[in-house]
């Protein structure tokens, strides 16, 4: 047996001491003492060296090819391990893919997201490849589903406050048709149920369950259109970024697109915008001038008045002389951009987009689609950990996804009685806090109005600043890089 020599230079013991301190502090922070079984590896690397971790260094002069290969392998392995832990516990990069937070965060912004702000989560799927959310570019899964660890969040520096911009895992992304990301799986099932979801009254829970089952069968039969349908663990669901407008225990409501929280009007961020129809006097708008006054040209489209004349009339627009509508555009505008656009000489009228009967789209919870819409919604109470609700039919419709999908229970409603985990029950107490997330681009945001509450288990972190910004509407040689947004606070 090889004799272990503990007589090492002082520098080796100092290095061991530093890494031991880091390792112990990490274990205390994580609270998982199983990590201590890895300590002999650290001790061996610096002191005993039973395993020849750096055997390849002896070939520096005799076999340069072997030395070069293992030098690269050593560097790559160390980098992957470092990135894995940094990405899990400290911060990650996130790119804004959609316009839901225009103008606050723009499409093409790259964000530095702090996971320490709200406390990093212990990963549900620890065996995963770093820097890849759920699939490699060639379509293969980037993680191994087992083992699965239960939800646990380490202590953070802060808590989520009203108005914070938050990165989170998509709550309705647990079941995913691989060829269809939008709408989500549950909305797809609803739309394929064959049911008239613009009926006059809120459907009973029993009817809702039946039509959803019919829709599931239909969606699963359309594999050529929607692809394989898979399940994803919480931390491998797509990342979304929205603004938190409702905290646990609060009640949210929208009246004519104005948001109220606990009965008080919510103070909007400066970047909040809505869709408008803009009619000119017969001349076309100059897209470059729109860009200069802060209008995202990616949000501008020309409307065919011949096919939308009925809708345009119903929202209050009128044609010009002899029934000529002229040029009509649809665009998202902030209050500031709206004021600037009204100063343009060729503008005839500007009307805010409205949801009218027959033009609504499915919202959360789906049985309320005929009663609520994106501009007139609620009131709806947001669950908080430790709070209880009565298990009435209406409450089950509103909170079933929280109780079943997010908190892991079974729930049925038969003969006017709730069956919770196989037993008759009259109430339910929530395990987690929930949040209500909405985009600043209110008419172009798939948010909590469409898929409901965001549980604390899905919170990823807080965007801190923009470290890169590329304008999707401009070429590389015409100012594609938005230098003015570099290191900009992500919440302004």
């Amino acid at each position: 047996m090889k004799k272990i020599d503990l007589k090492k230079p002082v520098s080796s013991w100092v290095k061991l001491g530093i890494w031991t301190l880091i390792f112990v502090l990490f274990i205390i922070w994580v609270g998982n003492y199983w990590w201590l079984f890895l300590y002999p590896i650290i001790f061996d690397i610096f002191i005993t060296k039973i395993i020849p971790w750096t055997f390849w260094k002896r070939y520096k002069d005799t076999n340069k090819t072997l030395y070069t290969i293992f030098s690269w392998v050593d560097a790559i392995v160390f980098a992957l391990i470092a990135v894995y832990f940094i990405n899990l516990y400290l911060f990650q990069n996130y790119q804004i893919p959609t316009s839901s937070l225009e103008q606050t965060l723009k499409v093409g912004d790259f964000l530095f997201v702090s996971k320490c702000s709200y406390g990093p989560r212990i990963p549900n799927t620890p065996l995963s490849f770093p820097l890849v959310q759920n699939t490699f570019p060639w379509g293969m899964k980037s993680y191994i589903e087992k083992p699965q660890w239960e939800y646990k969040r380490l202590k953070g520096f802060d808590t989520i406050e009203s108005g914070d911009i938050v990165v989170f895992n998509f709550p309705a992304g647990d079941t995913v048709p691989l060829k269809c990301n939008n709408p989500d799986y549950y909305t797809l099932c609803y739309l394929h149920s064959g049911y008239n979801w613009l009926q006059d009254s809120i459907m009973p829970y029993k009817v809702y369950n039946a039509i959803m089952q019919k829709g599931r069968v239909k969606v699963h039969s359309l594999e050529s259109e929607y692809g394989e349908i898979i399940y994803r663990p919480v931390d491998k669901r797509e990342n979304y970024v929205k603004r938190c407008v409702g905290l646990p225990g609060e009640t949210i409501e929208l009246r004519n697109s104005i948001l109220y929280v606990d009965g008080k009007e919510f103070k909007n961020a400066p970047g909040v915008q809505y869709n408008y129809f803009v009619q000119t006097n017969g001349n076309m708008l100059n897209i470059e001038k729109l860009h200069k006054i802060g209008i995202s040209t990616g949000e501008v489209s020309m409307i065919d008045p011949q096919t939308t004349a009925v809708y345009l009339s119903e929202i209050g627009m009128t044609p010009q002389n002899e029934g000529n509508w002229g040029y009509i555009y649809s665009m998202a505008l902030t209050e500031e951009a709206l004021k600037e656009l009204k100063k343009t000489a060729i503008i005839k009228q500007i009307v805010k987009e409205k949801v009218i009967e027959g033009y609504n789209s499915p919202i959360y919870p789906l049985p309320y689609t005929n009663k609520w819409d994106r501009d007139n919604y609620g009131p709806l109470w947001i669950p908080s950990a430790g709070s209880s609700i009565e298990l009435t039919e209406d409450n089950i419709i509103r909170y079933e996804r929280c109780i079943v999908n997010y908190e892991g229970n079974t729930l049925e409603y038969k003969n006017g009685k709730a069956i919770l985990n196989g037993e008759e029950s009259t109430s339910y107490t929530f395990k987690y806090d929930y949040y209500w997330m909405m985009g600043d681009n209110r008419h172009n945001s798939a948010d909590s109005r469409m898929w409901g509450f965001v549980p604390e288990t899905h919170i990823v972190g807080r965007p801190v600043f923009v470290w890169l910004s590329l304008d999707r509407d401009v070429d590389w040689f015409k100012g594609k890089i938005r230098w003015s947004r570099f290191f900009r606070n992500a919440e302004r």
Side-chain angles (χ1 to χ4, degrees):
M1 181 181 292
K2 181 181 177 182
K3 185 178 180 180
I4 299 175
D5 181 13
L6 297 179
K7 294 181 180 180
K8 297 294 179 182
V10 174
S11 60
S12 296
W13 287 100
V14 170
K15 290 177 182 177
L16 174 65
I18 294 172
W19 279 102
T20 299
L21 178 62
I22 294 172
F23 188 63
V24 169
L25 291 175
F26 172 76
I27 289 174
I28 293 172
W29 185 43
V30 172
N32 186 343
Y33 294 95
W34 288 101
W35 284 97
L36 285 171
F37 283 102
L38 295 179
Y39 184 72
I41 296 177
I42 297 176
F43 191 84
D44 184 63
I45 290 173
F46 292 101
I47 304 300
T48 55
K49 299 187 178 181
I50 296 173
I51 300 174
W53 302 97
T54 58
F55 74 93
W56 46 275
K57 290 185 178 180
R58 70 183 70 153
Y59 296 103
K60 183 176 182 179
D61 298 321
T62 59
N63 192 332
K64 291 187 179 295
T65 300
L66 182 66
Y67 176 82
T68 302
I69 291 173
F70 276 92
S71 293
W72 277 102
V73 171
D74 179 73
I76 291 171
V77 170
F78 178 81
L80 288 176
I81 293 174
V83 167
Y84 177 79
F85 281 97
I86 291 172
N87 196 57
L88 279 181
Y89 296 107
L90 300 179
F91 65 86
Q92 73 177 69
N93 172 57
Y94 179 77
Q95 180 185 359
I96 299 295
T98 67
S99 61
S100 67
L101 279 168
E102 296 267 348
Q103 298 282 331
T104 309
L105 293 176
K106 296 176 178 290
V107 175
D109 281 351
F110 289 77
L111 305 178
F112 177 95
V113 178
S114 167
K115 292 190 172 183
C116 295
S117 294
Y118 306 131
R121 294 174 300 180
I122 300 298
N124 300 107
T125 48
L127 300 180
S128 61
F129 197 84
L131 299 179
V132 181
Q133 180 60 19
N134 45 49
T135 54
F136 290 108
W138 53 89
M140 178 181 174
K141 282 199 306 185
S142 64
Y143 60 93
I144 299 174
E145 292 190 18
K146 295 183 179 179
Q148 281 285 308
W149 292 349
E150 292 185 2
Y151 167 71
K152 182 179 179 181
R153 186 177 296 277
L154 306 181
K155 187 172 180 58
F157 302 134
D158 205 353
T159 57
I160 298 177
E161 296 182 0
S162 181
D164 281 358
I165 293 180
V166 182
V167 175
F168 55 92
N169 296 118
F170 181 38
D174 51 356
T175 307
V176 183
L178 291 180
K179 291 184 179 179
C180 180
N181 294 321
N182 188 25
D184 63 79
Y185 170 76
Y186 300 98
T187 303
L188 275 180
C189 293
Y190 198 55
L191 295 175
H192 278 289
S193 66
Y195 191 79
N196 177 19
W197 44 272
L198 289 176
Q199 57 168 335
D200 293 331
S201 60
I202 297 172
M203 71 183 71
Y205 179 75
K206 183 178 180 180
V207 174
Y208 169 66
N209 263 349
I211 69 166
M212 285 298 285
Q213 182 56 35
K214 184 178 179 181
R216 287 189 194 98
V217 172
K218 181 66 174 179
V219 170
H220 283 258
S221 70
L222 297 173
E223 186 172 346
S224 60
E225 183 175 351
Y226 296 122
E228 180 186 0
I229 297 175
I230 65 169
Y231 171 83
R232 282 181 179 155
V234 172
D235 58 341
K236 294 304 170 187
R237 296 170 192 173
E238 297 295 339
N239 287 332
Y240 274 38
V241 58
K242 308 287 179 185
R243 189 181 298 278
C244 177
V245 298
L247 298 173
E250 295 182 337
T251 298
I252 60 97
E253 184 178 10
L254 283 157
R255 304 176 208 151
N256 296 321
S257 74
I258 298 173
L259 175 64
Y260 296 85
V261 178
D262 286 342
K264 298 179 180 179
E265 185 174 340
F266 184 82
K267 185 178 179 181
N268 284 331
V272 167
Q273 57 184 10
Y274 300 91
N275 279 2
Y276 291 85
F277 289 101
V278 179
Q279 183 185 46
T280 70
N281 59 10
N283 296 307
M284 295 183 68
L285 287 171
N286 186 312
I287 298 298
E288 289 188 5
K289 288 184 178 180
L290 294 180
H291 192 271
K292 287 180 180 179
I293 63 173
I295 298 174
S296 174
T297 55
E299 298 289 302
V300 178
S301 60
M302 189 174 288
I303 301 299
D304 180 4
Q306 302 305 317
T307 58
T308 57
V310 174
Y311 172 77
L312 294 174
S313 297
E314 289 190 19
I315 66 172
M317 295 196 80
T318 56
Q320 300 185 54
N321 52 7
E322 299 180 359
N324 177 27
W325 286 89
Y327 291 108
I328 297 179
Y329 298 83
S330 172
M331 63 183 71
L333 301 172
T334 62
E335 282 295 323
E336 184 178 343
L338 177 61
K339 291 177 182 178
E340 289 297 318
L341 193 61
K342 285 180 176 179
K343 298 176 184 177
T344 306
I346 66 171
I347 299 299
K348 183 176 184 294
Q349 60 178 328
I350 301 177
V351 177
K352 192 174 186 178
E353 187 178 300
K354 301 175 184 176
V355 177
I356 59 176
E357 186 176 352
Y359 290 88
N360 197 8
S361 57
I363 49 85
Y364 177 90
L366 290 169
Y368 278 73
T369 292
N370 60 309
K371 291 295 183 182
W372 295 352
D373 58 56
R374 69 181 183 190
D375 292 331
N376 294 279
Y377 190 98
L380 183 64
W381 176 76
I382 305 168
S384 61
S387 60
S388 300
I389 58 167
E390 292 184 18
L391 289 177
T392 61
E393 183 175 20
D394 189 56
N395 275 344
I396 289 175
I397 289 174
R398 295 184 182 208
Y399 302 106
E400 179 189 32
R401 188 175 292 179
C402 300
I403 297 170
V404 176
N405 295 52
Y406 307 144
E407 302 199 358
N409 301 283
T410 61
L411 182 63
E412 297 178 272
Y413 191 77
K414 296 180 179 179
N415 302 320
K417 297 179 180 180
I419 311 299
L420 179 67
N421 296 323
E423 297 183 2
E424 185 178 324
S425 182
T426 58
S427 65
Y428 179 77
T429 301
F430 292 96
K431 291 167 52 179
Y432 303 128
D433 282 330
Y434 292 81
Y435 301 88
W436 196 257
M437 307 289 186
M438 289 175 62
D440 290 349
N441 195 359
R442 293 288 167 80
H443 286 163
N444 294 308
S445 174
D447 52 36
S448 284
R449 292 169 293 178
M450 286 72 199
W451 32 255
F453 309 102
V454 176
E456 63 176 86
T457 57
H458 288 55
I459 301 298
V460 174
R462 178 209 293 271
V464 180
F465 60 82
V466 178
W467 64 270
L468 174 66
S469 185
L470 303 177
D471 194 333
R472 64 175 176 175
D473 302 324
V474 178
D475 294 332
W476 283 101
F477 298 104
K478 293 184 178 180
K480 189 174 188 67
I481 300 177
R482 293 181 286 217
W483 297 101
S484 62
R485 294 190 63 78
F486 279 40
F487 304 108
R488 180 190 180 111
N489 187 315
E491 296 193 4
R492 296 178 184 172

